[in-house]
Amino acid sequence: MDTETTDVLVVGAGPTGLALGVDLARRGVRALVVEKADRLFPGSRGKGIQPRTMEVFDDLGVLDAILAVGGEYPVGMVWQDGRRVGEHRMFDAAEVTDDSPYSTPWMVPQWRTQEVLHARLEELGGRVSFGREVVGFEQDADGVTVRFATGPDVRTRHLVAADGGRSVVRRTLGIGMTGETVDPNPLLVADVRITGLDRDNWHIFPPRTEADGFLSICPLAGTEDFQVVAQFPEGTRPELSLDAVREVVAARSHLAPESVTELRWASDFRPRAALADSFRAGHVFLAGDAAHVHSPAGGQGLNTSVQDAYNLGWKLAAVLRSGAPAALLDTYEEERRPIAADMLGISTGVHRGEIRRGEATRQLSLNYRDSSLTEETRPQVTGLRAGDRAPDGKLGAVRLFDAFRGPHWTLVAVGLEAPEQPASVRVVEGETQESYGKGLFLVRPDGYVGWAGETAEGLGTYLGGLGLRSRAGE
């Protein structure tokens, strides 16, 4: 059987793999996404899209579709003995500002997010090959040869593991996961059709006795479904049948068993937090749950995973298509592993009630200030620094996120004349911008400031190190 060839093979068609597939496709990189299952994941598991990920989706061209199939999170309603006894706000309030147009999470069931990303991937000419189970691979100096349970081998220059917390790729590499159990009590999560509850609230049923766990029933925006989450005592294994879900709903709420009319998907898990000991081995990269496993509290897992893909995509394309040095790929682990570690801490803190859902969980303050890819040349800086997320806002008549959208770099020149740039660098100029201040700010393809200066001195050298030519001053 003939061997297929591609530049990047992505294993796993979850949010991570699909987002990476989209990013590579729009950059003209030959990539193939393979998925062990015969269809996309059918459940709601990761349902919260954080503001920073909404900005990423804006750039990838899927935000309008995400907004169309989701909705705002409802206010929590606490029940006791069949009576409404109080409201619970899930998130600290945040205002929309010029520099941050998305302030609160947007609810989209995971299966919907995947459908949107899959449609975008196909629109860009990419594809997912379903029913392709990886059974092994070997890598050499030039790339990786991947074997499957059925179908031809694939020869690829780079392999990306986006195949989840039980990643076959990670285990084949022998990379360990260091972590802890966040909560010894297992959880049931199920998508159901249910009657007798309004869809204006997230319904919360605290434990009735010490032996019980909590029950929550959340209407899933953009669907007719509810997501049921129920906690069970340590050492038990929740049953996943319709009758079992009916039993737990009836036992912990005022609803009758027959109120649960349909079970559409169910799973069980024990919340844990774990981080891969490394995110790369040769030509193989780990991303998403293959690299870090979160408690679902706080909604950080899917978002951190999509942002892994967003960080890796432009770097792979730069090396494969734009002449950037291979060493650029080293910055993927350098930048993403510390972020993942921080997000694991936040997820665990939210789960244990130590951290509020708010500023920390929106992910707008994440930065790469300590990255070797970051150069801040100004001697004194207050406010925006190289390594920070590049804010939105107006510069002259241009909205900055409109200027950033696409696979290019962007030079933001505020109060200074911008030097001539190569075609791969878009230039936006204006006299004042409150979020930036006066200076030159080179914005990376993933929306972070890579280089900042009071003059163009050093800009050309920075671009040259990435395989980009500039006429900027040296």
Side-chain angles (χ1 to χ4, degrees):
M1 191 175 296
D2 293 338
T3 299
E4 297 182 37
T5 62
T6 190
D7 286 331
V8 181
L9 180 69
V10 182
V11 180
T16 312
L18 292 169
L20 181 56
V22 168
D23 204 14
L24 294 172
R26 70 174 181 156
R27 297 176 186 281
V29 175
R30 287 194 313 146
L32 173 64
V33 180
V34 295
E35 169 57 48
K36 175 182 176 180
D38 60 3
R39 59 173 179 154
L40 296 174
F41 173 75
S44 66
R45 184 178 292 141
K47 65 180 183 296
I49 309 299
Q50 297 293 344
R52 177 55 189 157
T53 304
M54 293 175 73
E55 295 178 354
V56 173
F57 283 166
D58 183 346
D59 183 42
L60 295 180
V62 298
L63 182 61
D64 287 346
I66 287 290
L67 293 175
V69 298
E72 295 181 352
Y73 272 74
V75 174
M77 178 59 64
V78 181
W79 291 80
Q80 186 175 4
D81 299 326
R83 296 181 297 108
R84 299 171 185 254
V85 296
E87 292 185 350
H88 174 67
R89 298 285 171 174
M90 296 292 180
F91 308 99
D92 290 339
E95 294 183 1
V96 171
T97 60
D98 288 342
D99 64 358
S100 302
Y102 315 109
S103 60
T104 56
W106 189 250
M107 184 193 293
V108 185
Q110 183 172 323
W111 63 269
R112 285 277 203 204
T113 298
Q114 292 178 183
E115 283 187 345
V116 169
L117 289 168
H118 187 216
R120 177 62 170 155
L121 177 62
E122 291 187 325
E123 179 185 24
L124 292 167
R127 68 184 179 96
V128 176
S129 181
F130 291 99
R132 302 293 300 276
E133 178 183 0
V134 173
V135 296
F137 58 88
E138 294 81 32
Q139 61 173 318
D140 53 40
D142 299 318
V144 188
T145 300
V146 183
R147 293 176 280 108
F148 298 87
T150 59
D153 294 351
V154 173
R155 178 66 180 175
T156 181
R157 295 179 66 180
H158 297 286
L159 172 64
V160 180
D163 52 342
R166 297 182 176 89
S167 171
V168 170
V169 175
R170 187 190 68 241
R171 293 182 181 189
T172 301
L173 289 169
I175 295 176
M177 291 279 279
T178 301
E180 63 175 330
T181 298
V182 174
D183 189 336
N185 300 298
L187 295 175
L188 162 74
V189 57
D191 296 350
V192 303
R193 295 285 171 86
I194 199 166
T195 61
L197 288 176
D198 67 77
R199 297 188 63 84
D200 297 325
N201 294 110
W202 184 334
H203 304 279
I204 303 165
F205 301 88
R208 292 179 171 179
T209 69
E210 290 185 3
D212 289 337
F214 71 83
L215 169 72
S216 80
I217 304 177
C218 179
L220 290 169
T223 77
E224 297 179 6
D225 298 345
F226 287 80
Q227 183 192 67
V228 169
V229 178
Q231 185 185 55
F232 287 80
E234 182 179 359
T236 62
R237 178 95 186 251
E239 294 184 29
L240 305 181
S241 67
L242 173 59
D243 286 343
V245 174
R246 283 174 164 169
E247 181 179 347
V248 73
V249 168
R252 301 184 187 186
S253 76
H254 59 279
L255 299 172
E258 57 270 20
S259 296
V260 182
T261 61
E262 184 179 351
L263 176 64
R264 301 176 64 79
W265 169 81
S267 181
D268 69 292
F269 64 97
R270 188 172 63 173
R272 61 188 296 261
L275 183 68
D277 295 340
S278 62
F279 281 20
R280 181 186 184 186
H283 298 285
V284 185
F285 299 85
L286 307 183
D289 287 356
H292 42 81
V293 178
H294 301 245
S295 160
Q300 302 301 289
L302 181 151
N303 293 273
T304 304
S305 299
V306 166
Q307 291 172 50
D308 287 346
Y310 195 51
N311 182 285
L312 182 58
W314 75 266
K315 294 174 180 178
L316 285 168
V319 171
L320 291 168
R321 292 186 56 84
S322 302
L328 176 63
L329 298 177
D330 295 336
T331 66
Y332 168 67
E333 177 171 337
E334 178 193 353
E335 293 184 341
R336 292 307 300 170
R337 195 168 183 275
I339 293 288
D342 288 347
M343 293 300 100
L344 285 171
I346 289 171
S347 294
T348 299
V350 172
H351 188 108
R352 294 173 175 169
E354 302 162 350
I355 297 176
R356 283 280 301 171
R357 298 174 179 88
E359 181 61 32
T361 58
R362 296 184 189 107
Q363 300 195 349
L364 294 173
S365 59
L366 300 178
N367 68 79
Y368 300 130
R369 289 183 178 182
D370 296 329
S371 169
S372 62
L373 200 57
T374 297
E375 289 190 20
E376 174 58 73
T377 68
R378 296 168 295 172
Q380 294 184 339
V381 181
T382 58
L384 185 69
R385 296 181 57 88
D388 290 349
R389 159 191 164 272
D392 195 12
K394 283 288 191 72
L395 183 58
V398 177
R399 182 196 174 193
L400 289 170
F401 274 12
D402 289 341
F404 298 160
R405 192 180 300 112
H408 54 270
W409 293 70
T410 307
L411 181 62
V412 177
V414 183
L416 297 172
E417 183 178 352
E420 187 176 350
Q421 295 298 304
S424 55
V425 179
R426 181 174 295 174
V427 176
V428 185
E429 298 178 280
E431 290 303 313
T432 59
Q433 219 303 319
E434 183 176 350
S435 297
Y436 287 75
K438 185 177 181 179
L440 297 172
F441 305 87
L442 183 66
V443 180
R444 301 171 7 166
D446 60 352
Y448 288 85
V449 179
W451 180 97
E454 294 177 342
T455 71
E457 183 177 358
L459 176 57
T461 300
Y462 180 89
L463 289 168
L466 294 162
L468 303 171
R469 296 179 180 178
S470 172
R471 298 181 183 178
E474 298 302 330

